[in-house]
């Protein structure tokens, strides 16, 4: 089947959170919003109950991935994953952890097999999954694990926050701040830059992306007066990336690289740790930034917010970020197809 005619795979997320609410509301307003077709991997009974609670008129239909796009105009296509217990909005239940994880696993399986165009994941509560024995720091690491099982070798995921005003990726992610200097290595920065440059070209259509690299310390170390990592760890990585033909530059002081004029000089930025990247990303695009996982053999996006249990079942949550995640996933899939076609025509 033509990849452009396939639906996106949308996971359930935590059923006690806002993921199902947003998916249902988006489908009801699909024509106005112009969202691409998606297949919801979730419990149909939970979706029906939530739609009733929210006063939404959503027709549901169990569907294969291949038929989901055709069904989307008249009904929300669903691949069933049964919950162990009834989902109560705002009250997460560890009993449903297995179904939450299975929804993610199926989404990866379908997308890897090219039965869906790309994977979009709804928010999960990691603490709920940890209680069930989930052994990964978060979504990103679990997706990389599943992808590595299929690929047969380890993969390095890179978390990119993509918004209307900024694309930025941290080198280190879900670790305590006091562990960052030990975890930060020249090779990790090089790998992040290499993956970013490759995927910006193949999935965003930026053939020669400009990549700004932040320092770790205030003022990028100020020539060693405020720390040695910038010169000893980060600068050699930038030099190697340049040797590889990647237009990377820095290290730049993180406090001056995110204002409007500075952002005009690069297409994406690399930061050294989680908050250094996510604070500017969420400040500049809190409602419409998208979490994109680079470095995987499939496209994955996610809304840049959590489960928001306190808003679940109340029609109060904003759908902007999930809408953006769906649209960006489809756009990246289209770009990848166009580049692949162009390469084939050139004999690449």
């Amino acid at each position: 089947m033509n990849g452009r005619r396939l639906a996106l795979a949308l996971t359930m997320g935590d059923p006690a959170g806002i993921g199902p609410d947003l998916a249902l509301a988006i489908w009801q307003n699909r024509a106005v919003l112009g969202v691409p077709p998606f297949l919801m991997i979730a419990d149909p009974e939970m979706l029906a109950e939530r739609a009733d609670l929210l006063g939404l008129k959503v027709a549901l239909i169990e569907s294969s991935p291949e038929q989901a796009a055709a069904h989307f105009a008249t009904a929300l296509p669903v691949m069933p994953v049964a919950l162990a217990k009834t989902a109560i909005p705002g009250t997460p239940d560890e009993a449903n952890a297995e179904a939450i994880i299975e929804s993610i696993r199926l989404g990866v399986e379908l997308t890897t097999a090219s039965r869906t165009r790309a994977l979009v994941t709804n928010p999960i509560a990691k603490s709920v999954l940890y209680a069930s024995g989930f052994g990964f720091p978060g979504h990103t690491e679990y997706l990389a694990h599943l992808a590595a099982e299929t690929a047969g070798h380890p993969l390095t995921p890179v978390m990119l926050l993509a918004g209307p005003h900024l694309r930025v990726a941290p080198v280190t992610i879900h670790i305590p701040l006091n562990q960052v200097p030990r975890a930060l290595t020249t090779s990790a920065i090089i790998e992040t830059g290499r993956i970013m440059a490759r995927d910006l070209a193949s999935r965003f259509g930026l053939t020669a992306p400009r990549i700004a690299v932040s320092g770790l310390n205030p003022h990028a170390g100020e020539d060693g007066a405020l720390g040695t990592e910038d010169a000893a760890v980060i600068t050699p990585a930038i030099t190697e990336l340049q040797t590889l033909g990647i237009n990377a530059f820095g290290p730049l002081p993180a406090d001056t690289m995110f204002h409007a004029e500075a952002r005009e000089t690069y297409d994406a930025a690399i930061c050294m740790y989680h908050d250094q990247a996510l604070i500017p990303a969420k400040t500049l695009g809190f409602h419409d930034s998208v979490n994109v996982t680079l470095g995987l053999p499939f496209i994955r996006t996610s809304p840049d917010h959590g489960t928001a249990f306190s808003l679940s079942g109340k029609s109060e949550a904003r759908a902007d970020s999930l809408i953006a995640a769906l649209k960006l996933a489809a756009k990246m899939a289209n770009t990848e197809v166009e580049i692949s076609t162009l390469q084939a025509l050139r004999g690449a």
Side-chain angles (χ1 to χ4, degrees), residues 141-186:
E141 293 83 359
Y142 182 51
L143 292 168
H145 167 74
L146 293 174
E149 285 187 331
T150 301
H153 57 82
L155 296 167
T156 302
V158 171
M159 183 175 75
L160 176 77
L161 276 294
H165 306 294
L166 177 67
R167 301 184 191 95
V168 60
V171 177
T172 63
I173 307 178
H174 298 118
I175 60 174
L177 187 59
N178 64 5
Q179 294 180 17
V180 169
R182 294 193 300 275
L184 191 64
T185 64
T186 298

Side-chain angles (χ1 to χ4, degrees), residues 198-222:
R198 182 196 66 197
D199 284 13
L200 286 175
S202 66
R203 293 176 174 172
F204 287 81
L206 299 170
T207 55
R210 302 165 299 166
I211 299 175
V213 182
S214 80
L216 172 66
N217 298 295
H219 304 171
E222 203 163 284

